[in-house]
Amino acid sequence: PHLISVDDLGKDGLLPGQVLAKRPTFAPGRVDLDGLSTWQAARVAEAARALAHDDQAALIAFANDQPWVTDWALYLALVQEHGKTRGWWDLPPSLRDRQADALDSARERLKDRVDQHIASQLLVHRQWQRLRDAATARGILLVGDLPIFVAGAGVDTWTHRELFRWRQTPKAAHSTCPVADPVAGVPPDYFSPKGQRWGNPLYDWPAHQADGFAWWRARARAALTTCHAVRIDHFRAFCAAWAVPADAPDATTGQWTPGPGRALFDAIREDLQADPPPGLDPTAALPIIAEDLGIITPDVGALRDDLGLPGMKVLQFAFGEGNDHPFLPHTWTHDRWVAYTGTHDNDTVRGWYAATNDRVRDHLRRYVGRDGSEPHWQLLRPLLASVARWAITPLQDIMGLDASGRMNVPGTASGNWCWRAQALPWDAAPRLRDLISVYGRLPAQR
């Protein structure tokens, strides 16, 4: 709901003009978390209550079309009703274990609050579909991100406990509290010498396979109804995931545990071909990007290639290790890649260039044949000139921002995802257009 435009709510008649006229001043350049959780959230709640009151038929139709939203709204209402909780396991046992009579009673008792939460998601859906339609009409693709794991305290584990790996530990004399064990993470790598202990519950893959991967098929369908393509985060875990003991302080003591392999993607493909979401060509390849970064073993590359999915190349990782590094564009022998100057997990190119060592800087300057005075533009040129099917650069690099524009630092829990663009860099547009024209990346004229 934080993505909802309150101005559009006003245009749709769900907020009175005098409310919008009292909008506070928000700090520029950063997401105002306090403003989102107070003023913006209150306006969304007001509009959602109005929609729920005036158009129950729309809520029912939306819930029928998006089955996940009913459980999500009920869970949020229950958490609000019961105050601060660590997760669904702190609800009364009858609700924790989803006993039918307890759920029916809660839906009746909390109907107004549940309807408001469903309405808020309907508002997100309506505004996002307008954006998607506008993008589609202009030949612009929206690429979403599908995290491989989910939150242990979230609605997915509450509604589908049987699909995840738990151990039971005593909580009280009359009940047990499920604890995810092992938990997800990654071994030591470029970003962290002790690895990353994410803490998400791991999947019970035999349980998923037993019902034809129904939960994953629904998840992929929802994502591809929202976007034209999705990048699946941590693709390697479909071959094997790094399983970390729940009581381990870091991820150094984990071990690899098998994933589902091709069977999952065959089930997703079959589902999408049988009933394709709007705008999806059922005869085309799966519209999925495999995030294949990190410690990649031969079986991961084999699965990616067998499925015909593009993998990822990140140029910031390419320099300082010799002329045969697999992320250097001249080593790519086919176009099945989505290539980036950097991703949301990297520093900006200017920030990275300033912080890296002399060996890396020298390699970059010699590779691009430039002096390093504008590393963000100079790295963009070989990216666009490469054979990669898609070339992507963060907006921060087009704007030439330093490390202050960084989006995310992996392995840290706060201060991330707060950068926001105050305005588009229109002064850079002619230069960008010239580069993409030179390298043949302009879309066909409409």
Side-chain angles (χ1 to χ4, degrees), residues 186-197 250-252 410-412:
V186 290
D189 63 7
Y190 172 93
F191 290 112
S192 174
K194 293 188 176 182
Q196 298 176 42
R197 183 191 177 283
D250 56 46
T252 56
T412 62

Side-chain angles (χ1 to χ4, degrees), residues 3-4 33 46 65 113 117 132 156 162 168 176 191-192 240-241 270 308 325 336 345 349 382-383 409 411 427 445:
L3 294 174
I4 291 174
L33 297 176
E46 182 179 348
D65 187 55
R113 191 175 289 178
H117 292 316
R132 188 183 192 278
D156 291 293
E162 73 283 359
Q168 301 289 332
T176 58
F191 290 112
S192 174
E270 181 181 347
H325 193 284
R336 226 169 34 252
D345 282 337
V349 169
L383 178 84
V409 179
D427 56 336
Q445 296 298 315

Side-chain angles (χ1 to χ4, degrees), residues 250-416:
D250 56 46
T252 56
T253 59
Q255 60 183 354
W256 295 109
T257 183
R262 179 173 182 133
L264 167 63
F265 294 92
D266 286 342
I268 291 174
R269 188 196 307 273
E270 181 181 347
D271 182 76
L272 296 176
Q273 289 178 340
D275 184 18
L280 181 69
D281 180 358
T283 65
L286 280 173
I288 291 173
I289 300 167
E291 188 273 292
D292 54 353
L293 305 177
I295 299 175
I296 301 303
T297 49
D299 57 333
V300 180
L303 176 62
R304 177 199 64 212
D305 294 343
D306 188 38
L307 293 167
L309 304 181
M312 289 176 57
K313 300 287 189 182
V314 180
L315 294 198
Q316 284 191 29
F317 298 150
F319 299 97
E321 303 297 334
N323 61 13
D324 60 348
H325 193 284
F327 283 8
L328 288 169
H330 74 267
T331 69
W332 305 345
T333 58
H334 58 75
D335 73 345
R336 226 169 34 252
W337 302 110
V338 179
Y340 303 74
T341 52
T343 73
H344 59 281
D345 282 337
N346 294 97
D347 201 345
T348 66
V349 169
R350 277 190 57 200
W352 162 77
Y353 186 80
T356 194
N357 59 54
D358 288 339
R359 184 183 76 254
V360 170
R361 283 191 288 263
D362 178 67
H363 190 185
L364 172 62
R365 289 192 295 264
R366 289 188 295 113
Y367 194 86
V368 302
R370 296 292 188 272
D371 61 3
S373 59
E374 292 185 303
H376 48 298
W377 285 108
Q378 291 161 8
L379 196 60
L380 182 60
R381 187 177 290 273
L383 178 84
L384 295 172
S386 75
V387 297
R389 187 176 303 170
W390 288 355
I392 296 177
T393 191
L395 184 61
Q396 293 96 314
D397 289 341
I398 300 300
M399 299 173 75
L401 299 183
D402 60 17
S404 63
R406 183 167 186 167
M407 184 66 80
N408 182 64
V409 179
T412 62
S414 62
N416 298 313

Side-chain angles (χ1 to χ4, degrees), residues 190-258:
Y190 172 93
F191 290 112
S192 174
K194 293 188 176 182
Q196 298 176 42
R197 183 191 177 283
W198 294 334
N200 307 76
L202 291 172
Y203 296 108
D204 184 335
W205 287 118
H208 282 268
Q209 189 153 15
D211 72 355
F213 299 100
W215 182 86
W216 269 98
R217 286 189 281 111
R219 193 174 188 219
R221 172 173 294 278
L224 290 170
T225 300
T226 302
C227 298
H228 300 93
V230 292
R231 164 193 175 275
I232 294 189
D233 180 60
H234 201 52
F235 178 80
R236 72 136 302 113
F238 294 108
C239 288
W242 190 246
V244 182
D247 56 0
D250 56 46
T252 56
T253 59
Q255 60 183 354
W256 295 109
T257 183

Side-chain angles (χ1 to χ4, degrees), residues 15-32:
L15 286 178
Q18 61 267 30
V19 169
L20 299 178
K22 297 178 181 178
R23 184 200 318 262
T25 300
F26 296 112
R30 303 289 290 178
V31 175
D32 189 328

